[in-house]
Amino acid sequence: MKTRKPNAFLYFILYILIYPILKIFFRLRVDRSRYRAPEGAFIMLSNHVSFMDFLLAMLCVYPKRVNPVAAQKFFFYKPLDKLLPTMGCIPKNLFDADARAIKGIFGVIRRGGGVLLFPEGRCTVDGAYMGMHTSTGKLIKKLGVPVVSCHIEGSYICMPFWRRGLRFGREHVTLTNLFSAADIAELTPEEINARIDAALQGEGRAPFAGKVYRARQLAEGLENILYICPKCKREFTLETHKNTIRCKACGNTGHMDRTQKLTPTENSVIPETVHAWYAWIMERELAAMHEDMDPITVHVTVRMPAAIPGAGLAHCGQGMLSLDSKGWHFDGELHGEPSQITFPIHTVPAIPFDPKDNFQIYAQGSFYVFTPDNPVACSKYATLGECAYLRFANPVQMTGCAAFRRPPA
């Protein structure tokens, strides 16, 4: 199906209604000092820190209109099944070869339009840039059109990935003309990737540094992504209340202030930031992985796209999902029939997840939505999936921060 041009009227309505709200309540500031609106076809690349990012990136380049590439799962829900195509969105099976999405991107470029891509492929877990697939540089090289980068700061906390609700704070967007068509012709895909990583990672400072956020429940929901206590090392014992995170097993306690800094109480062990805590969890999980490790197994229920358009995802089975050095393996029942599926480790570089709900594996044009018996564990299995890929995939086809998390052999 041909990708539509973004609806000009809806785009205008979004701009006049939403942009002032972003400016007033989230003190949005847009740095356009290194940006000049491109003429003709272009690619826009953005980091992905919250579900606000689509609006931020789209509205900050208005009156230019872009066709966003969005996760396929959103197209199965009403009213998004009608709204997203009207806005020119291109469905993409995340971390999976998707010829339809590539065809849609090239179609937009051929007619002189703009395409918005989020190369990370999912929202960041800890607020820091998570890297991208190395095929991004090859795609940019083939397209051969100017590239604009959009670096977003602040919305990770204003619309937390790990909990519902909004917080009021400062959002900052930096637009940059990253590549000209001539630059693309001269650079290698590897050089293109390196410059994209640098632009989307920003200036290298800690996430949220120097920013103040107003909310009465700053820490609530963090147990949905931080699942190991740094003191007693137990899993799923953390609980949050307002600005406090506490381990029910050992009493380890920390408080989060309005700058997102975590401070331990007496005799407690709490990393200073969410980013530092999550990095410690990653390092711990990576260190435990080896070629002869026992499979990590969990019972899951499975959902897949419903047969009726707009009906969302439908329950289709249950079974055991296991992870080892070779990949993910499902053994159970789907659609009333026995089913065994293997997802080789090199085909699953990352696992998107919805905290306290599900984690997803995309494969061969479809996707599987898994919910463990303990929904809080979704973060764990997404983290384990990334760690297994970094440890066992050869070569690792992810750039940026993810590449630096791989320990030495």
Side-chain angles (χ1 to χ4, degrees):
M1 184 174 66
K2 186 176 180 181
T3 302
R4 304 181 195 178
K5 292 182 180 180
N7 185 284
F9 177 72
L10 285 178
Y11 224 110
F12 175 70
I13 293 299
L14 282 174
Y15 184 77
I16 63 172
L17 292 180
I18 304 298
Y19 196 70
I21 292 174
L22 295 173
K23 296 283 285 186
I24 295 170
F25 291 100
F26 299 100
R27 294 179 287 167
L28 173 64
R29 298 294 181 268
V30 183
D31 180 357
R32 298 186 178 88
S33 61
R34 291 172 286 179
Y35 168 75
R36 181 170 296 178
E39 297 181 5
F42 69 100
I43 296 292
M44 185 176 184
L45 303 176
S46 177
N47 61 324
H48 202 357
V49 291
S50 82
F51 293 115
M52 298 177 72
D53 299 342
F54 283 91
L55 285 173
L56 286 168
M58 291 168 66
L59 298 180
C60 285
V61 295
Y62 188 81
K64 282 286 186 179
R65 286 178 285 156
V66 292
N67 290 77
V69 176
Q72 180 177 309
K73 67 175 183 177
F74 296 119
F75 291 77
F76 293 102
Y77 291 93
K78 293 181 178 179
L80 295 179
D81 62 325
K82 298 293 191 298
L83 178 61
L84 295 181
T86 301
M87 291 302 295
C89 293
I90 302 169
K92 173 72 169 71
N93 226 31
L94 303 180
F95 302 104
D96 186 29
D98 193 333
R100 179 186 57 176
I102 297 299
K103 183 178 179 180
I105 292 170
F106 274 87
V108 172
I109 296 301
R110 278 195 295 269
R111 70 170 180 239
V115 175
L116 170 61
L117 291 169
F118 293 89
E120 289 166 279
R122 77 283 200 202
C123 276
T124 173
V125 177
D126 59 354
Y129 175 64
M130 299 186 77
M132 62 184 181
H133 201 279
T134 55
S135 61
T136 305
K138 296 176 183 178
L139 176 63
I140 297 297
K141 186 79 173 175
K142 288 182 179 180
L143 292 169
V145 297
V147 175
V148 172
S149 69
C150 172
H151 184 254
I152 298 172
E153 293 182 89
S155 64
Y156 176 79
I157 295 301
C158 290
M159 188 178 186
F161 165 69
W162 29 270
R163 59 156 292 171
R164 295 179 180 178
L166 295 171
R167 288 113 174 257
F168 296 116
R170 184 180 297 277
E171 296 183 329
H172 189 270
V173 174
T174 303
L175 298 175
T176 304
N177 294 100
L178 190 59
F179 302 115
S180 66
D183 293 331
I184 297 295
E186 293 179 1
L187 295 171
T188 66
E190 293 74 22
E191 291 169 332
I192 292 171
N193 284 336
R195 285 177 57 173
I196 292 173
D197 278 339
L200 299 190
Q201 188 169 342
E203 298 177 7
R205 56 180 177 269
F208 337 120
K211 297 181 175 64
V212 175
Y213 297 86
R214 301 191 300 278
R216 295 178 180 177
Q217 303 89 23
L218 288 167
E220 285 191 4
L222 280 176
E223 73 276 15
N224 294 327
I225 59 170
L226 304 175
Y227 58 90
I228 304 178
C229 172
K231 185 175 182 179
C232 70
K233 312 300 190 295
R234 297 182 186 178
E235 296 183 353
F236 311 122
T237 58
L238 294 163
E239 61 181 0
T240 54
H241 179 66
K242 294 186 177 180
N243 300 336
T244 300
I245 184 166
R246 176 182 176 273
C247 176
K248 293 178 288 185
C250 70
N252 190 36
T253 303
H255 300 288
M256 176 173 278
D257 66 22
R258 293 173 63 186
T259 66
Q260 306 304 294
K261 181 180 178 181
L262 288 162
T263 302
T265 59
E266 187 176 0
N267 297 321
S268 290
V269 179
I270 298 290
E272 188 174 15
T273 64
V274 172
H275 173 65
W277 195 330
Y278 185 69
W280 172 78
I281 291 174
M282 285 278 295
E283 291 171 2
R284 181 178 173 84
E285 300 290 23
L286 272 166
M289 290 189 168
H290 53 86
E291 290 285 349
D292 299 322
M293 71 180 194
D294 292 331
I296 300 166
T297 303
V298 58
H299 180 266
V300 294
T301 57
V302 188
R303 285 176 287 165
M304 295 183 71
I308 302 173
L313 302 174
H315 174 81
C316 63
Q318 57 84 33
M320 302 303 296
L321 185 68
S322 62
L323 172 67
D324 59 25
S325 62
K326 304 300 181 184
W328 291 88
H329 312 276
F330 175 78
D331 188 353
E333 180 184 277
L334 292 179
H335 308 294
E337 298 290 337
S339 179
Q340 291 183 327
I341 308 171
T342 293
F343 309 97
I345 197 68
H346 69 274
T347 66
V348 192
I351 296 185
F353 73 102
D354 298 324
K356 210 174 180 179
D357 190 293
N358 68 77
F359 58 96
Q360 308 129 39
I361 296 180
Y362 293 74
Q364 299 178 350
S366 188
F367 66 97
Y368 303 80
V369 177
F370 300 107
T371 299
D373 291 344
N374 177 12
V376 177
C378 293
S379 172
K380 172 181 177 175
Y381 295 106
T383 302
L384 288 172
E386 180 177 353
C387 289
Y389 178 83
L390 294 176
R391 174 68 80 184
F392 302 120
N394 188 20
V396 171
Q397 294 183 310
M398 295 293 287
T399 71
C401 296
F404 300 129
R405 289 175 179 167
R406 189 176 193 181

